[in-house]
Amino acid sequence: MRYDSITEAIGNTPLVRIDPAVHGLRHIDLYAKLEMLNPFGSVKDRAAWNMARSRLPGARERGEAIVELSSGNTAKALAVIAGMHGLSFRSVTNRMRIPEVKDLLLLLGAEIEELPGRSECLDPTDTEDPLTLFHQRLNESGSAHLHTDQYFNALNTEAHESGTGPEIVADLDGRAPDWFVACVGTAGSSTGVARALRAHDPAVRVIGLVGEKSDFIPGIRNVD
Ligand SMILES: Cc1ncc(COP(=O)(O)O)c(C=O)c1O
């Protein structure tokens, strides 16, 4: 495989069968999709690129900076994409939990703004949370921002509906799995993959995993 740009290497990650001796589940074929093999290191490369790509032409001339509410992997991908296109990148978050990620983002030239809020992910039902208020202001401002808006941008989900999900079906020789299990942040990946799998087989069951209970789980609630 030969590519002209690193962004063309996003997606088409391998689906690897986990040895039953490792997972210990009987009568279950368990596969892992190795999203960490995306070029910027995670499943979020797909969404970051899909949300940013059409807005990059002319962004530098307009003096825009990419802005996203992210404490980790979306920020990593957007920081590289911004750098590739001569733009600056600003990551706004309540919590930059992992020091290595923070160091890497700073190394990539990102500007990090840490707010004193509670929730790790944007929770619009928490109207007092500084992250919610920042998000509101960002949408109202009409300023020179390229706000990728991962929690509400349909291109986040679409990256997985057109990419990740169909890749899984193709690698299973045209079959959808009985179950699909995914971690939920914005719910873009779980929702998009679920849509693709269910278009293939409406009986597919989807499990979304969250780190802690939250009243607001974006997107995934609309899957059914
Ligand atoms: C490694 C990893 N997996 C899954 C997710 C959740 O993805 P989504 O935002 O599409 O729900 C994230 C979100 O940050 C992530 O970093």
Side-chain angles (χ1 to χ4, degrees):
M1 268 173 278
R2 176 175 154 171
Y3 301 114
D4 287 330
S5 166
I6 188 73
T7 52
E8 291 172 26
I10 294 173
N12 290 310
T13 51
L15 193 68
V16 178
R17 185 166 182 267
I18 309 295
D19 188 332
V22 174
H23 63 66
L25 303 169
R26 282 156 45 105
H27 312 302
I28 287 185
D29 287 323
L30 183 66
Y31 289 86
K33 190 149 172 67
L34 303 191
E35 287 299 296
M36 72 285 204
L37 296 184
N38 279 301
F40 313 134
S42 85
V43 67
K44 301 300 300 197
D45 292 13
R46 298 174 183 263
W49 179 234
N50 209 39
M51 294 186 297
R53 61 193 300 177
S54 65
R55 297 175 59 193
L56 292 168
R60 191 176 175 181
E61 292 69 29
R62 292 190 295 274
E64 292 178 356
I66 299 183
V67 182
E68 185 53 273
L69 276 50
S70 169
S71 58
N73 284 322
T74 308
K76 271 199 276 181
L78 286 174
V80 183
I81 291 168
M84 286 168 65
H85 294 85
L87 306 175
S88 54
F89 171 64
R90 186 170 168 214
S91 177
V92 184
T93 168
N94 276 343
R95 252 180 288 177
M96 191 61 71
R97 265 215 263 203
I98 306 169
E100 290 82 356
V101 172
K102 189 172 181 175
D103 289 349
L104 181 61
L105 286 173
L106 292 172
L107 199 68
L108 291 169
E111 184 192 321
I112 299 172
E113 189 171 341
E114 288 180 84
L115 302 174
R118 292 176 296 265
S119 63
E120 180 154 13
C121 292
L122 176 69
D123 179 355
T125 62
D126 187 350
T127 50
E128 299 304 312
D129 190 289
L131 200 60
T132 312
L133 297 172
F134 177 83
H135 184 259
Q136 265 169 17
R137 281 203 305 278
L138 200 56
N139 282 346
E140 284 161 10
S141 67
S143 57
H145 287 130
L146 195 169
H147 176 206
T148 38
D149 204 7
Q150 62 168 342
Y151 286 89
F152 294 97
N153 191 334
L155 292 172
N156 173 359
T157 308
E158 199 270 336
H160 304 283
E161 190 171 355
S162 66
T164 325
E167 287 170 26
I168 293 171
V169 173
D171 286 339
L172 293 176
D173 300 321
R175 289 172 46 221
D178 298 317
W179 294 82
F180 173 67
V181 182
C183 296
V184 177
T186 65
S189 51
S190 42
T191 304
V193 171
R195 280 189 191 142
L197 299 182
R198 286 183 177 169
H200 210 77
D201 176 0
V204 175
R205 307 285 301 272
V206 178
I207 299 178
L209 304 175
V210 285
E212 56 190 66
K213 256 187 169 174
S214 162
D215 288 339
F216 181 75
I217 299 178
I220 193 87
R221 288 193 169 155
N222 302 324
V223 168
D224 285 326

